[in-house]
Amino acid sequence: MARLKSRFSSEAVPFWALVVFLALVFLMGGGARADIQSLVILRPTAALFCGIGLWSLTRAHVETYRFLFGMAGAIIALLVAHLIPLPPSVWAMFPGRGLVSDIDTMAGLGAVWRPITLVPWGARNALYSLLVPLAVLILGVQLDKEQKYRLLFVVLGIGLASGLLGLLQSISDPHGPLYFYSITNNGAAVGFFSNRNHQAMLLASLFPMLAVYASAGLQSEEQVAVRGWGALAVSAVLVPLILVTGSRAGLFVGLVGLASAGLLYQKPNTLVSRKRTGGTGNVKWLAITLVVVCLGGLTVLSSRAVAFQRLWASDITEERFQRWPSIAAMAWKYFPFGSGAGSFVEVFQIDEPNRLLGLSYANHAHNDWLELMMTMGLPGLLLLLVSLWAFARATRAAFRAPLGEGRRAPFARLGAVILLIFALGSIGDYPLRTPSLACLFVVAVLWLYPSDLGVRRVVPN
């Protein structure tokens, strides 16, 4: 008995460590800026949790998830390569470095060894930022099937808490203590984040989570009823919560998340007698539809639907979209090696068109697909293509796998949908540069990763 208890405790350590770490990340990692003060605590904490995970990590864990560790290693290696000083004769051969070389010559600096990136401190920040999602990966691969499924309750709880905080923010002082970050969307329902778009993407990802929560692995009729009605009620509340964020991108990904919920939900007919239920299912969906329409209508009429108002605002063709052609041209200017990790802000200012000059600056491209091409060049694009290929194969396997009575396929499909939401959100924003959403991304990858559906059939060696 003592040996069994010891074994249970040792196996539970990675799970509870991951739960604690996720809670800390969402409390301190809701912004994408490099100067957020909480990062001084968060990143050393992430290193500590990486150490905890490495202590119990085994060769079997690495072999089972060798593709994920391979991708993580390749990304880290690429960032390290961007920081290695190169001889002036080699560095000057990289595209787009002529201006810096001319400045060195005119200033009489002599032969300066420089790394690939034009902004070394930005590349170092990007490298250090990987500690946070890496901790989730190291701890997450050690979880058994049941512990992976239990993460759903953790993420749902965090998401609902962020939604509730956003609701309180929308009715409180725009510059009050409920906002965690000094640079934020004051007056908007940002929740645990500094950016309204990131809050909306988290809320949008809750729709498919609730669908799986309400239909996967149910053991009794009571669970069917309680979880079904609970998921529908929470989904109805999410609609106005997304509206009050003021995020136009959130409206789009919210619709994607809501549509995916219908795709992921599977009615547990084997547990509920048709004779007893009768038309309960239809009544349930009719009731929730009416509630959603009423809540959405009341939100719009009360002028709290900021996202809906901004959708029809005259600034729909705002500067961020006008920057994209210039960013695409810069990407080709620095191709194939890119301008370097973390270099967007400074490099964009070199070739920023005069018509876009103003009192504010572009902190990101607001299109992470374009920014990746500009800063990471061909190597970054190749890693992205490998990831998309693996995602496509794993998603295909997840949706072709029989649902049965288990939870493997539903959770794999859930992971695929969440990754799709982030991919779409990255077209107009930068969600994965936020530590908390980067961690949710890793959790979704662990749900999707087909170790339970046949690793060798769907994941490249």
Side-chain angles (χ1 to χ4, degrees):
M1 179 66 68
R3 181 180 298 178
L4 180 61
K5 182 177 180 181
S6 175
R7 181 182 177 186
F8 173 79
S9 299
S10 62
E11 291 178 350
V13 168
F15 173 77
W16 289 111
L18 182 54
V19 170
V20 171
F21 184 66
L22 286 174
L24 292 175
V25 171
F26 273 87
L27 287 174
M28 296 188 290
R33 294 179 60 90
D35 57 356
I36 294 176
Q37 295 180 358
S38 59
L39 293 181
V40 177
I41 301 174
L42 179 59
R43 288 179 179 174
T45 302
L48 174 63
F49 277 88
C50 281
I52 295 174
L54 289 173
W55 183 263
S56 54
L57 189 69
T58 65
R59 182 176 180 179
H61 294 139
V62 177
E63 290 180 348
T64 302
Y65 295 92
R66 60 188 179 276
F67 176 75
L68 299 186
F69 280 106
M71 286 299 300
I75 294 171
I76 293 173
L78 180 57
L79 290 179
V80 170
H82 276 222
L83 287 167
I84 298 175
L86 300 173
S89 59
V90 175
W91 186 85
M93 296 172 60
F94 286 75
R97 270 65 178 180
L99 177 62
V100 179
S101 296
D102 293 342
I103 293 175
D104 287 346
T105 301
M106 295 178 65
L109 297 180
V112 180
W113 286 51
R114 297 184 183 276
I116 292 177
T117 179
L118 291 169
V119 185
W121 77 264
R124 287 193 294 270
N125 174 69
L127 181 61
Y128 300 151
S129 70
L130 294 181
L131 280 171
V132 180
L134 183 62
V136 177
L137 176 63
I138 294 174
L139 291 169
V141 298
Q142 302 180 51
L143 306 186
D144 58 31
K145 299 175 186 177
E146 188 61 30
Q147 289 172 333
K148 279 187 183 180
Y149 303 151
R150 285 162 60 190
L151 282 179
L152 176 64
F153 298 93
V154 177
V155 178
L156 277 174
I158 292 174
L160 294 177
S162 185
L164 177 60
L165 176 61
L167 180 62
L168 295 176
Q169 290 167 339
S170 67
I171 59 176
S172 65
D173 182 2
H175 299 278
L178 295 181
Y179 289 90
F180 291 3
Y181 302 93
S182 58
I183 300 178
T184 185
N185 297 124
N186 297 100
V190 297
F192 292 142
F193 299 90
S194 64
N195 187 310
R196 71 175 102 225
N197 293 329
H198 301 158
Q199 164 79 341
M201 289 180 196
L202 173 64
L203 297 180
S205 68
L206 297 186
F207 287 119
M209 291 187 206
L210 289 168
V212 173
Y213 166 80
S215 61
L218 303 183
Q219 302 296 325
S220 65
E221 295 182 7
E222 289 74 16
Q223 279 190 336
V224 173
V226 172
R227 290 198 182 187
W229 281 106
L232 288 171
V234 174
S235 298
V237 175
L238 287 177
V239 174
L241 288 181
I242 292 178
L243 288 174
V244 298
T245 61
S247 171
R248 290 174 291 197
L251 288 178
F252 174 68
V253 295
L255 290 174
V256 173
L258 192 57
S260 70
L263 177 65
L264 295 180
Y265 180 79
Q266 299 292 327
K267 185 177 180 181
N269 292 323
T270 57
L271 293 177
V272 184
S273 169
R274 294 181 180 180
K275 183 177 179 180
R276 288 185 59 186
T277 57
T280 303
N282 295 331
V283 173
K284 185 187 298 185
W285 284 108
L286 178 61
I288 201 64
T289 301
L290 290 175
V291 171
V292 168
V293 172
C294 291
L295 286 175
L298 287 174
T299 306
V300 173
L301 291 175
S302 62
S303 298
R304 298 306 307 171
V306 186
F308 189 82
Q309 297 169 9
R310 293 180 75 238
L311 182 64
W312 306 107
S314 58
D315 66 339
I316 190 65
T317 56
E318 54 187 328
E319 287 186 3
R320 67 178 60 180
F321 305 117
Q322 298 174 17
R323 296 188 186 110
W324 290 356
S326 301
I327 296 171
M330 294 177 199
W332 287 114
K333 173 183 176 179
Y334 295 97
F335 197 81
F337 299 103
S339 60
S343 65
F344 174 81
V345 174
E346 291 80 1
V347 171
F348 179 76
Q349 292 173 353
I350 295 175
D351 295 310
E352 184 176 7
N354 292 336
R355 59 185 174 81
L356 296 180
L357 294 177
L359 298 178
S360 60
Y361 72 97
N363 62 332
H364 284 290
H366 287 84
N367 184 325
D368 253 2
W369 302 89
L370 266 180
E371 187 167 340
L372 176 71
M373 180 180 176
M374 173 183 165
T375 58
M376 304 306 290
L378 182 60
L381 290 178
L382 291 176
L383 288 178
L384 177 61
L385 288 176
V386 172
S387 301
L388 291 175
W389 177 56
F391 168 77
R393 297 192 67 182
T395 301
R396 179 172 177 266
F399 280 89
R400 293 184 64 183
L403 288 172
E405 297 298 326
R407 289 176 285 182
R408 293 177 296 177
F411 270 82
R413 297 178 182 185
L414 170 61
V417 168
I418 294 175
L419 296 181
L420 176 63
I421 288 175
F422 285 147
L424 294 174
S426 295
I427 295 175
D429 209 87
Y430 43 93
L432 297 186
R433 298 181 186 273
T434 303
S436 52
L437 292 185
C439 290
L440 179 55
F441 176 89
V442 176
V443 171
V445 169
L446 292 173
W447 283 336
L448 171 63
Y449 192 80
S451 60
D452 298 331
L453 300 174
V455 176
R456 291 175 175 81
R457 289 190 295 104
V458 294
V459 176
N461 292 322

